[in-house]
Amino acid sequence: MNIPIPPHAQATGSQFNAGRMLAARERSWVALREIARRITPGTTEPEAVALAGEVLADAGMQRIWHPSLIRFGANTLKTFRQRSAPDLRLGDHDIFFVDLGPVFDGHEGDVGDTFVLGDDPLMHACAAAARELFTRVAARWRMGGQSGRALYEFATAQAQAMGWRLNHETKGHRVGDFPHAVHKAGNLGDFDAEPIPGLWVLEIQIAHPEKPIGAFFEDLLVQ
């Protein structure tokens, strides 16, 4: 299946190195897990973001390409550009997600995952569903011949079949050697070509159809 590729959308800079790209991804995941481990009940979102900055600095981050985003409770329904409801503290039985965008060795990491404190079964199911939906969509991409737009159409149908609602404002995007934005690739969910490995982040954000909880998972599409 021949899918036309928009000019420059999947280009990289002269310093791009696939190995360093994957290393940035792995270092980002290590930092994210450490941040999540250190977030405790009673923490506010700004305190968690400050903690994230400390962990990333200790990990050797050069800079950020997007600010760390951490959402608690009902704020997990918010998209990246929406403001959190203020003065929210993480509860003993609560859900939260962490979204990081650091640069390591000139290459951009972008990872996100959802975590649950306590034993609320619906919250645990929500976090697990975001990961499962990511896995299904990534597997679809690995089959080949799928545009970014088609992947998100598939994600919508799968989310509904699983009993969740996909947030269509969260559509994934390019990454690469910093800054990837010079390539003007647009959102993955609007991309009418087949995304090549190692340059596109698949973002999944879901919400319960009735309850005020959501979950988020993102990672680099790799073979």
Side-chain angles (χ1 to χ4, degrees):
M1 182 177 182
N2 295 320
I3 302 175
I5 299 175
H8 311 301
Q10 304 199 91
T12 57
S14 61
Q15 302 303 309
F16 180 79
N17 177 278
R20 287 201 293 270
M21 189 74 206
L22 293 176
R25 173 195 181 215
E26 180 57 30
R27 292 172 74 178
S28 299
W29 273 116
V30 170
L32 183 144
R33 295 183 186 110
E34 176 62 15
I35 293 162
R37 186 187 70 81
R38 291 169 59 178
I39 293 176
T40 56
T43 304
T44 66
E45 289 183 3
E47 289 170 344
V49 169
L51 168 65
E54 295 171 4
V55 171
L56 288 168
D58 290 343
M61 175 190 71
Q62 290 175 310
R63 55 166 296 151
I64 58 171
W65 75 265
H66 82 66
S68 298
L69 183 69
I70 301 178
R71 305 282 204 191
F72 295 166
N75 284 337
T76 56
L77 299 174
K78 306 280 189 179
T79 62
F80 186 85
R81 288 181 171 79
Q82 291 177 309
R83 290 183 177 274
S84 281
D87 304 323
L88 192 65
R89 290 186 179 272
L90 192 66
D92 292 318
H93 299 272
D94 216 340
I95 190 168
F96 70 96
F97 72 70
V98 180
D99 176 6
L100 303 180
V103 176
F104 291 105
D105 197 16
H107 290 67
E108 299 166 342
D110 198 6
V111 296
D113 200 359
T114 302
F115 303 88
V116 178
L117 300 181
D119 55 6
D120 185 300
L122 191 60
M123 291 180 182
H124 281 281
C126 189
R131 297 184 192 112
E132 172 61 21
L133 183 55
F134 178 94
T135 297
R136 294 186 188 186
V137 179
R140 183 83 165 190
W141 166 75
R142 292 187 185 100
M143 293 170 61
Q146 297 288 310
S147 69
R149 189 183 300 274
L151 290 176
Y152 274 90
E153 290 171 354
F154 176 75
T156 298
Q158 289 292 304
Q160 184 175 8
M162 294 166 65
W164 303 91
R165 176 174 55 82
L166 186 72
N167 190 325
H168 292 281
E169 296 298 316
T170 303
K171 293 185 176 181
H173 54 82
R174 265 290 315 269
V175 285
D177 49 329
F178 180 81
H180 76 271
V182 299
H183 303 300
K184 297 179 170 50
N187 294 322
L188 177 59
D190 299 322
F191 190 56
D192 282 324
E194 182 176 355
I196 64 176
L199 289 181
W200 292 90
V201 170
L202 173 64
E203 294 185 89
I204 296 294
Q205 187 174 21
I206 60 171
H208 188 275
E210 298 174 355
K211 305 292 185 180
I213 61 169
F216 178 75
F217 190 90
E218 69 171 335
D219 195 7
L220 193 66
L221 284 172
V222 292
Q223 293 288 358

